[in-house]
Structure formats: structure tokens, C-alpha cells
């Protein structure tokens, strides 16, 4: 009967290679449903294979779960089969994860840990212990048990650190430093370890290579757990010292890996660099973070070029295979084609790291429940840990997002526009238009659309599909791409508002609103951001009352202290722009609490903005010297730490106005010219008008009629330009609905649908920065921000 099973296994492999997954599953299920009994081990292997196919190629998680649970029962009666038992535990854990059965997942993982700890399998057992520790940490995060998650990861890290052979340490260290035969012989002979015999040398070399491989594997595993621990600390952020310690641990392990080997660990490279960026963003160390962004961008471009090369080789190999299938080929021609075929297969094998033949029958499934080609995987650790954070397309979208985050405050809007469009293209595919793929990066990316484009459609999210229509197993990954989509749209709104492109900002904001209406539970964290953007838009078009309303509402929709503080500051600025004692009093009520606690926030983002708002208020109240002190302090911090040119230009404009009011015309001229230069670079028309108005007053004080007339002419053109843009915006059908003083109304789900959506929703965390993308969190938590926005329009038309 074993021969029958082997035949059906082979036939299933054949069908899978052809993409006929249903037929492959039927072949395997024929073994399980046979009237004649097979050996338990045969049935176990078959059921594990079925489960793997179902998890990789379908959403039928419950069917896979039933096969795995049956395998568990069969394995209880088999005393050995350690590897199969571990695979069954791991796959069943993934099933429970996908259906949201976290208590069952934790139970099966704890059993797996106990199995690995009690077995005498040595190296293999330690690897499986690492696997189960990693999965358990993720399950604990979902329940909000951050400390438990860190403990599980630290257990995995300790285990990974113990994976080596002490007796091989001496010889292995020699092999790491030297591959010369004579040098190895001389050193080994001195230590009287081996005799100078060629056969013994060969054995020593094999052993040494084993040690080197295991040594490198140990470092990769350590790095996997070190980065995972850092990720959890970033999510929790209870103690800045603990987070800094986790960062230092990552640096220590990463530096211990040889530079050429780091480049081979591309998944860890991206994960480590992104986590460092998230950390540095949080503490507002933009200078150091920019270096990591450059490293990531270069690595992404290099990998895209490699992916393009793989696609070209694959296309050529497929054409060769087609030619070889012809029956009328001459021997000489067939021989030449076969030689070329072998060369192409070897090139592909060198790049992808695996052979097209000899595929392992029990390859692990991936979280997210999607079939992923080689080009869309970024593995973090070797089997059986099989760590993976996000698909490559999502990681690359995050890299594009990081480029936007660093480019937008500097006014690099052309590059930001390309990156935003590229990110949207990855997620939405053909549903967006006007894709300007003008540089090499975007030419490469367009060539890889067969891998990256339209990720939402791959998850079943087409036009008209709503949250309750999704397969449960697709909700988690859908949340990842939907959240990335909202990040890009948010940045698009910010860029367009900075350049006074109000109509374009409207369209992006309406898209955000529509996506939120369709997926209100998955995108719950975005509601506060949308309200804040509505406030930004309303402020930009001069609707200050409406702007203050939306900012206050945005603050109510989050429990993030940082987000609440920023919303209060934004609302205060809108009240200041309204003018009058009552509005100033409302502004002070909002600014005061934030000002008192401004040093308690991580980083200086809140401090710089509250100093701006407070200085602005003092200036309007004619407390000029005090205002000058506050604004000068805020400007220095902004310039040193944030590099936000829009905020700097607005600081300079107010300081120039103050210098003018204090009759310090020399300083006023210098400051206002700097402000005008920056606002021109940003295409920030309202700030330009604000600066030009102050320059007119300066020239009047100095009696410079020529400069005054020239300045007034330029000012008139800018005002006319702004009025035209405002007219177009106010004439749009979306204008009223955006500024309207009301919350977004979403379709009320039935109670069962709410529970179902919440069970799979992934973005239920406070997102000061995008570190939470791809990490599940506990309980339907408060809405929160995606990331910080620029200060926006700060009363440019009413000063």
C-alpha cells in the first residue's frame, strides 16, 4: 500500500505544479478515505500535506484544521516522529491564528514547547522551540500581553543562542577565518586534533562547514528574536530605556554577522532597518533615521533589479522548455537546448536559493493565507522557524512610505508624488490612474506588477466588497494593505494641502472616507486621522470654526496622548485665527494643559508645535517679548530635530512679524526673506502671502517705495492665484461634506458581523508611526493617528 501512497503523492505534486490545487487535494484525500487502511504515518503525512495545500492556496482554513486535528490524534499513538509532530503543532497553530481562536492557539503552542523541551532531538528540537516561541509571542500580542510576548521571545533568543556545537568551536573558528588547506592542516596538527591525511582533512572540512553553517544560523536566529523583541517594545513603549536596550541588542547581534552575509539576510535587513527608523522617528532623530531610509531604498532598488532578472530568466526558461517539448527536434539541436536549459536553471537556483526539483512535500504555510511566489517573500529566519513579518510588496510599500515621510517635510514633493503613486499602484493596481513611472525605480516596479500590483484584489477586495464580505482568513492581511493605503492617502492629502491643491486634497480625503465606510472595523484607527485631515482642509480654506470642530472631534476619537495633544494644538491655532477675546480664551484652554506637560512626550514633536501655538497666541495678545522667547526656542528645536521646512517657515514668518512690531527692521528683513525662500520651495502660497504682507509693511516703515510696489505686485498675483484655487475648492461637490460639522456615518453592522470583523481586524493599535502595520493587537481599542502631520495652515490670511 505504501507504493499506492507514493504514487498518489507524486500525482498530487504534479497537479500542484500545474496549479490544479483541487485535483491535488483529491488525490491526497483518496488516501484518507480509502477502504483499505494505510499505516498511521502515511495518513499523517498525507493530512499534513493536504493542510499545507489548503492553507497556501485557499481560504478553507476549517478544512485544513480538521485534517491537522486528526493528525494530532494519530500522532499520539506513535512514539517517535518528532519532526512530524512539530509540523502538525505549527500548522495547527496557524489555523487557530487565522480563525481567531487564540486560546486554542496558545494551548497547542505550549504543548509544542513542552514537546521540544523534553525531546532528545538536540539541534532540531531547539529550532522547533524557536518556532513555537515566535508564534506564541504573536498570539500573546493579540491578547495585549506585551510582557508575556517579550518573555516568549526572550526564551526563543536564549534557545537560539544555545544552538551550536561546543566541541567544534575551535575548528569552526579556524574555518570562518581561513579556507586554505595548508593553514588548516598546520593549525589542526599543532593541536594534535587530526593527522595529515587527505581523508581526515575532508572529514574535518565537512565538520567545519557544518559548524560555520550552524554558527551563522544561530546568529540569524538570534537576530530574528532580537528584532522581534524590539518590535514589541516599540508597540508597548513603557520605558524608553528598555526600548533603547532592545535597539542596542539588535545592533550588537547584527554587527556580529559578517557584512557579506547580512546582504543575504534580506528579510532581516529590511525588518531591522525599518524598526530602527520607527524608533528614531519616535524620538525625533531624523538625521540618523535618514541614513537608514537611504539604506533601505538602495536595498529595495537592488532587489527589484534582481527580481526583474529572475523574471527574464524564467521567461527564457519557459520558452526553452516549450521548444524542448517538440517531438521533431534533431539530436544536436536538442542537446544544445538542454545545455542552455541547465545553465538557466543553475542561474535561477543561484539567485532564488532553491531548486525547481526536489520540492519538500511538507513546506510550511505562511501567515496571511496567500499563495506567494518566491519574489514576494522576505523570510526572517531559516526553517523550521520560517519567520516572516509581511509580504515583500507590503514591506516595499513601507519603504516607499518612509521615503515620503522624510521627503515631505523637506518639500521634495515631486519625489513624494512618485512614491505615493507607486505605493497606491502596488495596493490598488489598475484602479488608480496617471501613474508617472519616469525614473528607473518606477520602471523596475512597473515591470514587477505581475508580483506586486493590486494586492487588495488578490485578497478578494474588489469594487463593492465590504468588511463583512471578506473571508475571515483574509481579514488580517487585508488590514495590512488597507492601512498602508490609508497612510499613502493621508500623505497625499498633506502634500496637496501644503501646495494649496485643494481639489486634489479633497479627492484623496474622500477616498479615505469611502474606504473607512466600507471597512469601519479594520480601519477603526483611521477615523481620528480622517477627522484631523478634515480639520486641516477646513483650516486651509479659511473655515476656522469648522476646523476647530474637527480637530476637537479627532482628539475625542483616540486615547493616544500624543494624538490628543496635537489635535488640541491644531484646534487652538484655528481659534486664534478667528480672532477676538473669546476665541483666544478657548485657544488658551486647549494650549495650557499641553504646554504644562510638553516635556513628558517622547521626542520634541509636541513641544515644538505647542511652543508655536503659544507664541502665536502671545503675539496676538500683544505680549511681544514673551512671544519672541517662546517662538525662538521652538524654532531652534524644530530646526535642530525635525527639519520640517513648513513649520520653520511659519516660525520665521511670525518672528519676522514680531521683529517688525518691535521696529527691529534689520532683523525683520533678514527673517522674512528666509521665510519667503522656504515657502517658495514648498509651493506654500498662503505662507508666501503672509510673508509678502509683512514685507509690504516693512518697506512702508523703511520708506522703500520701489520695493513696496514690486512686492505689492507679486502679492496681488499670489492672492489672485489663491482665490482661484479657493473658488475651485468651494465649488466642488465634496467641499461642504468635508467641512460639515458632523462625524462620518458608517453602516451599522449586525452584532455577529461586528464580532467577526473584530476577530480578524489587525489595526487596532495607537499608530504614532507605522510600526504597528502587520502586528495584531488586543481589544477594539481606541482610534488613533497614522503619523504626525505638518502644522498645516496657521492663520496665514488673518494676521
Amino acid at each position: 500500500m505504501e507504493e499506492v501512497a507514493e504514487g498518489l503523492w507524486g500525482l498530487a505534486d504534479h497537479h500542484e505544479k500545474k496549479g490544479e490545487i483541487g485535483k491535488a487535494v483529491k488525490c491526497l484525500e483518496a488516501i484518507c478515505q480509502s477502504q483499505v487502511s494505510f499505516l498511521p504515518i502515511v495518513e499523517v503525512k498525507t493530512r499534513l500535506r493536504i493542510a499545507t495545500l489548503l492553507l497556501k492556496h485557499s481560504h478553507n482554513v476549517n478544512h485544513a484544521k480538521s485534517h491537522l486535528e486528526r493528525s494530532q490524534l494519530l500522532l499520539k499513538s506513535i512514539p517517535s516522529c518528532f519532526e512530524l509532530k512539530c509540523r502538525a503543532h505549527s500548522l495547527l497553530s496557524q489555523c487557530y491564528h487565522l480563525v481567531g481562536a487564540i486560546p486554542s492557539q496558545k494551548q497547542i503552542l505550549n504543548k509544542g514547547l513542552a514537546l521540544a523541551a523534553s525531546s532528545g532531538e538536540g539541534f532540531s528540537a531547539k529550532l522547533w522551540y524557536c518556532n513555537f516561541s515566535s508564534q506564541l509571542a504573536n498570539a500573546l500580542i493579540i491578547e495585549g500581553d506585551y510582557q508575556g510576548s517579550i518573555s516568549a521571545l526572550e526564551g526563543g533568543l536564549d534557545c537560539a543562542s544555545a544552538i551550536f556545537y561546543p566541541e567544534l568551536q575551535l575548528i569552526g573558528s579556524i574555518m570562518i577565518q581561513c579556507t586554505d588547506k595548508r593553514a588548516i592542516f598546520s593549525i589542526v596538527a599543532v593541536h594534535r586534533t587530526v593527522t595529515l591525511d587527505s581523508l581526515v582533512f575532508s572529514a574535518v572540512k565537512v565538520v567545519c562547514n557544518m559548524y560555520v553553517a550552524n554558527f551563522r544560523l544561530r546568529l540569524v536566529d538570534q537576530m530574528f528574536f532580537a528584532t522581534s523583541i524590539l518590535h514589541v517594545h516599540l508597540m508597548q513603549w513603557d520605558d524608553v530605556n528598555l526600548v533603547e536596550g532592545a535597539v542596542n541588542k539588535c545592533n550588537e547581534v547584527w554587527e556580529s554577522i559578517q557584512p557579506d552575509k547580512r546582504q543575504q539576510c534580506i528579510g532581516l535587513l529590511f525588518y531591522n532597518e525599518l524598526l530602527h527608523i520607527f524608533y528614531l522617528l519616535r524620538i525625533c532623530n531624523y538625521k540618523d533615521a535618514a541614513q537608514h531610509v537611504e539604506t533601505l531604498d538602495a536595498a529595495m532598488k537592488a532587489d527589484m533589479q534582481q527580481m526583474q532578472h529572475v523574471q527574464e530568466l524564467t521567461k527564457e526558461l519557459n520558452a526553452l522548455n516549450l521548444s524542448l517539448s517538440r517531438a521533431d527536434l534533431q539530436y544536436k539541436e536538442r542537446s544544445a537546448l538542454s545545455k542552455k536549459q541547465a545553465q538557466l536553471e543553475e542561474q535561477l537556483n543561484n539567485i532564488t536559493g532553491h531548486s525547481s526539483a526536489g520540492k519538500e512535500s511538507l513546506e510550511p504555510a505562511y501567515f496571511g493565507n496567500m499563495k506567494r511566489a518566491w519574489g514576494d517573500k522576505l523570510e526572517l529566519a531559516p526553517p523550521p522557524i520560517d519567520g516572516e513579518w509581511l509580504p515583500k510588496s507590503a514591506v516595499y510599500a513601507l519603504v516607499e512610505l518612509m521615503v515620503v515621510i522624510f521627503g515631505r517635510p523637506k518639500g521634495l514633493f515631486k519625489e513624494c508624488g512618485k512614491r505615493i503613486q507607486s505605493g497606491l499602484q502596488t495596493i490598488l493596481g489598475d484602479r488608480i490612474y496617471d501613474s508617472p513611472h519616469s525614473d528607473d525605480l518606477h520602471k523596475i516596479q512597473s515591470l514587477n506588477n505581475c508580483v506586486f500590483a493590486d494586492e487588495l484584489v488578490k485578497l478578494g477586495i474588489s469594487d463593492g466588497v465590504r468588511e463583512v464580505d471578506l473571508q475571515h482568513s483574509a481579514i488580517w492581511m487585508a488590514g495590512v494593505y488597507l492601512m498602508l493605503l490609508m497612510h499613502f492617502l493621508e500623505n497625499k492629502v498633506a502634500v496637496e494641502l501644503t501646495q494649496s491643491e485643494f481639489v486634489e486634497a479633497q479627492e484623496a480625503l474622500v477616498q479615505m472616507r469611502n474606504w473607512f465606510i466600507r471597512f469601519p472595523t479594520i480601519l477603526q484607527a483611521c477615523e481620528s486621522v480622517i477627522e484631523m485631515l478634515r480639520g486641516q482642509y477646513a483650516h486651509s480654506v479659511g473655515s476656522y470654526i469648522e476646523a476647530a470642530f474637527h480637530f476637537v472631534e479627532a482628539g475625542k476619537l483616540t486615547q493616544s496622548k500624543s494624538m490628543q495633544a496635537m489635535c488640541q494644538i491644531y484646534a487652538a491655532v484655528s481659534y486664534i485665527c478667528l480672532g477676538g477675546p473669546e476665541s483666544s480664551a478657548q485657544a488658551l484652554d486647549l494650549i495650557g494643559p499641553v504646554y504644562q506637560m510638553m516635556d513628558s512626550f517622547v521626542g520634541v514633536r509636541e513641544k515644538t508645535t505647542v511652543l508655536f501655538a503659544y507664541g502665536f497666541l502671545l503675539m496676538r495678545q500683544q505680549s511681544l517679548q514673551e512671544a519672541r522667547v517662546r517662538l525662538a526656542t521652538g524654532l531652534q528645536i524644530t530646526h535642530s530635530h525635525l527639519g520640517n521646512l513648513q513649520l520653520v517657515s511659519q516660525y520665521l514668518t511670525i518672528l519676522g512679524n514680531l521683529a517688525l512690531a518691535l521696529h527691529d527692521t534689520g532683523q525683520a528683513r533678514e527673517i522674512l526673506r528666509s521665510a519667503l525662500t522656504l515657502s517658495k520651495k514648498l509651493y506654500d502660497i498662503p505662507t508666501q502671502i503672509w510673508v509678502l504682507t509683512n514685507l509690504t509693511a516693512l518697506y512702508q516703515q523703511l520708506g522703500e517705495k520701489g520695493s513696496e510696489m514690486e512686492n505689492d505686485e507679486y502679492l496681488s498675483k499670489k492672492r489672485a492665484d489663491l482665490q482661484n484655487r479657493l473658488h475651485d475648492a468651494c465649488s466642488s461637490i465634496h467641499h461642504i461634506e468635508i467641512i460639515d460639522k458632523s462625524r462620518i456615518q458608517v453602516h451599522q453592522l449586525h452584532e455577529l458581523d461586528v464580532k467577526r470583523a473584530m476577530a480578524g481586524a489587525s489595526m487596532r493599535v495607537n499608530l504614532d508611526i507605522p510600526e504597528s502595520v502587520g502586528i495584531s493587537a488586543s481589544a477594539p481599542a481606541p482610534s488613533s493617528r497614522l503619523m504626525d502631520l505638518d502644522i498645516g495652515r496657521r492663520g496665514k490670511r488673518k494676521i
Side-chain angles (χ1 to χ4, degrees):
M1 291 304 294
E2 285 71 22
E3 291 79 4
V4 175
E6 290 282 356
L8 288 170
W9 285 346
L11 188 58
D13 286 341
H14 172 74
H15 285 307
E16 186 188 3
K17 288 176 183 177
K18 293 174 65 177
E20 298 171 337
I21 307 304
K23 291 182 179 179
V25 171
K26 286 183 178 179
C27 287
L28 296 169
E29 288 191 331
I31 297 174
C32 304
Q33 298 167 359
S34 172
Q35 298 294 324
V36 180
S37 296
F38 287 87
L39 292 173
I41 190 70
V42 172
E43 186 176 345
V44 167
K45 288 183 177 181
T46 303
R47 290 185 184 276
L48 291 178
R49 182 66 177 142
I50 294 171
T52 302
L53 285 171
L54 292 172
L55 287 172
K56 284 192 65 181
H57 301 289
S58 79
H59 292 291
N60 202 341
V61 182
N62 286 320
H63 193 184
K65 183 165 68 72
S66 65
H67 278 289
L68 291 168
E69 288 170 341
R70 174 61 181 166
S71 297
Q72 289 280 91
L73 292 174
L74 291 169
L75 285 166
K76 285 182 179 180
S77 62
I78 305 175
S80 56
C81 298
F82 171 77
E83 194 75 15
L84 285 178
K85 288 178 179 179
C86 288
R87 286 181 180 275
H89 279 77
S90 182
L91 288 171
L92 189 54
S93 164
Q94 295 184 38
C95 286
Y96 289 141
H97 171 85
L98 290 170
V99 300
I102 305 305
S104 298
Q105 184 187 15
K106 290 197 303 179
Q107 185 179 30
I108 197 70
L109 288 172
N110 283 319
K111 288 181 179 178
L113 287 168
L115 173 65
S118 62
S119 75
E121 297 294 326
F123 183 75
S124 177
K126 287 183 169 62
L127 286 176
W128 278 111
Y129 191 92
C130 291
N131 173 299
F132 299 135
S133 297
S134 172
Q135 291 196 58
L136 180 60
N138 191 57
L140 291 167
I141 286 177
I142 295 173
E143 292 190 331
D145 185 357
Y146 291 100
Q147 193 53 52
S149 177
I150 290 173
S151 296
L153 290 170
E154 287 176 342
L157 178 59
D158 291 341
C159 186
S161 302
I163 301 176
F164 71 108
Y165 299 113
E167 64 274 14
L168 298 179
Q169 191 162 8
L170 172 64
I171 301 176
S173 62
I174 295 169
M175 276 295 294
I176 290 171
Q177 299 298 326
C178 179
T179 57
D180 180 72
K181 180 175 180 178
R182 291 189 178 182
I184 294 174
F185 268 104
S186 61
I187 297 171
V188 171
V190 167
H191 287 278
R192 303 181 183 276
T193 308
V194 295
T195 59
L196 299 181
D197 181 271
S198 60
L199 291 175
V200 175
F201 172 79
S202 298
V204 169
K205 188 170 183 180
V206 170
V207 169
C208 290
N209 285 332
M210 285 172 57
Y211 173 79
V212 172
N214 289 327
F215 179 79
R216 290 167 180 163
L217 178 67
R218 178 169 62 96
L219 292 176
V220 171
D221 291 345
Q222 286 184 53
M223 190 62 194
F224 167 72
F225 283 105
T227 49
S228 298
I229 290 169
L230 172 57
H231 202 156
V232 179
H233 276 300
L234 287 173
M235 296 278 290
Q236 187 182 27
W237 202 287
D238 273 351
D239 186 336
V240 68
N241 294 322
L242 290 176
V243 182
E244 186 178 358
V247 171
N248 292 334
K249 180 63 177 179
C250 283
N251 292 335
E252 176 190 332
V253 179
W254 190 242
E255 289 299 321
S256 66
I257 302 175
Q258 294 177 354
D260 60 321
K261 300 305 174 186
R262 291 180 212 156
Q263 298 302 316
Q264 297 175 17
C265 305
I266 186 169
L268 278 174
L269 185 149
F270 278 97
Y271 193 33
N272 183 46
E273 293 293 326
L274 280 167
L275 292 177
H276 275 68
I277 292 170
F278 298 155
Y279 167 71
L280 294 167
L281 278 175
R282 183 75 72 88
I283 64 173
C284 297
N285 186 346
Y286 283 77
K287 182 179 179 181
D288 289 347
Q291 299 172 7
H292 291 277
V293 173
E294 291 172 4
T295 299
L296 276 180
D297 200 32
M300 180 179 72
K301 291 176 182 178
D303 192 64
M304 282 183 166
Q305 289 173 339
Q306 186 182 65
M307 289 171 65
Q308 180 187 356
H309 184 48
V310 167
Q311 287 184 343
E312 292 168 352
L313 290 175
T314 302
K315 184 178 179 181
E316 188 177 353
L317 181 60
N318 289 339
L320 264 177
N321 290 336
L322 188 63
S323 298
L324 283 168
S325 66
R326 288 167 44 201
D328 59 343
L329 277 180
Q330 298 295 323
Y331 172 79
K332 187 175 181 180
E333 188 178 1
R334 183 177 294 279
S335 178
L337 289 175
S338 297
K339 184 177 179 181
K340 180 66 174 176
Q341 180 192 45
Q343 292 174 347
L344 289 173
E345 286 180 340
E346 184 179 359
Q347 288 183 58
L348 278 171
N349 181 41
N350 290 336
I351 295 173
T352 60
H354 59 78
S355 174
S356 58
K359 181 178 175 182
E360 191 176 356
S361 63
L362 288 173
E363 89 180 80
Y366 302 99
F367 284 121
N369 199 33
M370 289 169 54
K371 179 184 179 182
R372 299 184 198 158
W374 163 82
D376 201 24
K377 290 190 288 188
L378 283 173
E379 294 178 351
L380 303 181
I385 299 175
D386 297 310
E388 186 183 23
W389 176 32
L390 294 172
K392 186 182 286 188
S393 57
V395 173
Y396 283 177
L398 267 176
V399 176
E400 303 264 36
L401 185 63
M402 294 301 104
V403 175
V404 173
I405 289 174
F406 281 86
R408 182 165 61 82
K410 298 176 182 177
L412 305 175
F413 297 138
K414 185 177 180 180
E415 179 66 15
C416 287
K418 292 176 183 177
R419 300 305 183 112
I420 290 171
Q421 197 76 5
S422 178
L424 293 176
Q425 178 73 39
T426 295
I427 299 165
L428 295 175
D430 294 335
R431 283 178 285 179
I432 65 171
Y433 46 87
D434 298 330
S435 302
H437 299 296
S438 56
D439 61 15
D440 291 339
L441 167 68
H442 296 89
K443 288 177 183 175
I444 294 168
Q445 196 152 27
S446 65
L447 287 170
N448 284 279
N449 278 345
C450 60
V451 177
F452 283 168
D454 220 347
E455 293 291 349
L456 290 181
V457 166
K458 294 177 186 177
L459 290 161
I461 301 178
S462 54
D463 293 340
V465 171
R466 291 177 175 268
E467 196 168 73
V468 293
D469 302 321
L470 290 178
Q471 293 281 348
H472 191 285
S473 56
I475 291 178
W476 184 86
M477 192 57 71
V480 170
Y481 285 107
L482 286 170
M483 185 57 70
L484 286 169
L485 170 63
M486 299 297 269
H487 276 290
F488 283 112
L489 290 174
E490 178 202 4
N491 276 273
K492 182 172 177 57
V493 173
V495 168
E496 303 297 1
L497 287 180
T498 301
Q499 301 179 95
S500 299
E501 298 290 352
F502 304 123
V503 174
E504 287 77 4
Q506 284 179 3
E507 292 173 355
L509 190 46
V510 168
Q511 284 188 57
M512 292 185 73
R513 180 204 63 187
N514 292 343
W515 283 107
F516 172 70
I517 290 173
R518 288 172 62 187
F519 301 92
T521 312
I522 294 176
L523 295 177
Q524 183 184 13
C526 296
E527 186 177 9
S528 178
V529 177
I530 295 172
E531 282 300 309
M532 186 165 69
L533 290 173
R534 291 175 75 184
Q536 293 278 358
Y537 171 83
H539 192 110
S540 298
V541 298
S543 301
Y544 301 122
I545 295 176
E546 290 82 358
F549 169 84
H550 290 297
F551 288 137
V552 171
E553 287 299 305
K556 293 176 182 177
L557 290 169
T558 178
Q559 289 186 356
S560 165
K561 299 300 181 183
S562 174
M563 178 64 167
Q564 290 171 354
M566 297 298 289
C567 290
Q568 287 178 232
I569 296 166
Y570 290 156
V573 172
S574 294
Y575 280 126
I576 295 169
C577 293
L578 282 170
E582 185 179 348
S583 296
S584 294
Q586 289 175 301
L588 185 59
D589 289 342
L590 290 166
I591 294 171
V594 182
Y595 186 80
Q596 291 174 2
M597 59 184 296
M598 63 182 179
D599 291 322
S600 66
F601 293 101
V602 176
V604 296
R605 190 177 298 109
E606 296 79 11
K607 186 173 184 176
T608 58
T609 50
V610 77
L611 284 171
F612 177 91
Y614 192 30
F616 187 15
L617 178 61
L618 290 171
M619 186 192 75
R620 294 299 292 265
Q621 294 175 336
Q622 298 303 308
S623 300
L624 302 185
Q625 290 293 352
E626 191 178 353
R628 200 175 197 178
V629 172
R630 300 291 188 280
L631 291 167
T633 302
L635 174 60
Q636 184 178 11
I637 296 172
T638 304
H639 179 73
S640 301
H641 295 277
L642 297 184
N644 186 323
L645 297 187
Q646 186 182 26
L647 185 53
V648 169
S649 70
Q650 291 165 351
Y651 261 116
L652 289 173
T653 305
I654 293 185
L655 284 167
N657 183 280
L658 279 170
L660 191 61
L662 294 168
H663 304 291
D664 187 349
T665 55
Q667 189 179 60
R669 185 195 297 269
E670 182 180 346
I671 292 174
L672 290 171
R673 282 181 175 175
S674 297
L676 184 60
T677 300
L678 288 178
S679 60
K680 283 182 177 179
K681 181 178 181 179
L682 295 167
Y683 308 99
D684 187 347
I685 298 174
T687 299
Q688 290 178 43
I689 292 172
W690 191 9
V691 176
L692 291 168
T693 302
N694 283 296
L695 282 172
T696 295
L698 172 66
Y699 296 140
Q700 286 174 349
Q701 278 193 25
L702 296 173
E704 298 179 5
K705 289 292 183 182
S707 297
E708 181 184 347
M709 291 177 63
E710 183 181 352
N711 191 75
D712 274 344
E713 183 180 353
Y714 188 48
L715 177 59
S716 297
K717 289 180 181 178
K718 289 297 176 182
R719 280 176 172 162
D721 185 10
L722 182 60
Q723 287 304 315
N724 289 334
R725 293 167 184 262
L726 288 170
H727 178 268
D728 291 342
C730 295
S731 301
S732 168
I733 59 174
H734 301 303
H735 174 74
I736 297 299
E737 63 187 44
I738 290 175
I739 68 170
D740 183 47
K741 293 166 65 175
S742 62
R743 292 260 302 275
I744 299 173
Q745 299 298 315
V746 297
H747 174 67
Q748 295 299 315
L749 304 176
H750 296 298
E751 183 179 357
L752 183 61
D753 293 331
V754 171
K755 290 180 179 178
R756 176 181 173 276
M758 283 184 173
S762 60
M763 299 296 111
R764 297 193 298 260
V765 288
N766 290 326
L767 300 178
D768 286 325
I769 49 177
E771 72 247 12
S772 298
V773 172
I775 290 289
S776 301
S778 60
S783 305
S784 169
R785 64 195 310 221
L786 293 169
M787 69 188 73
D788 289 314
L789 296 169
D790 291 333
I791 195 71
R793 297 300 182 271
R794 305 285 192 221
K796 304 176 180 66
R797 288 174 290 284
K798 290 211 172 185
I799 284 185

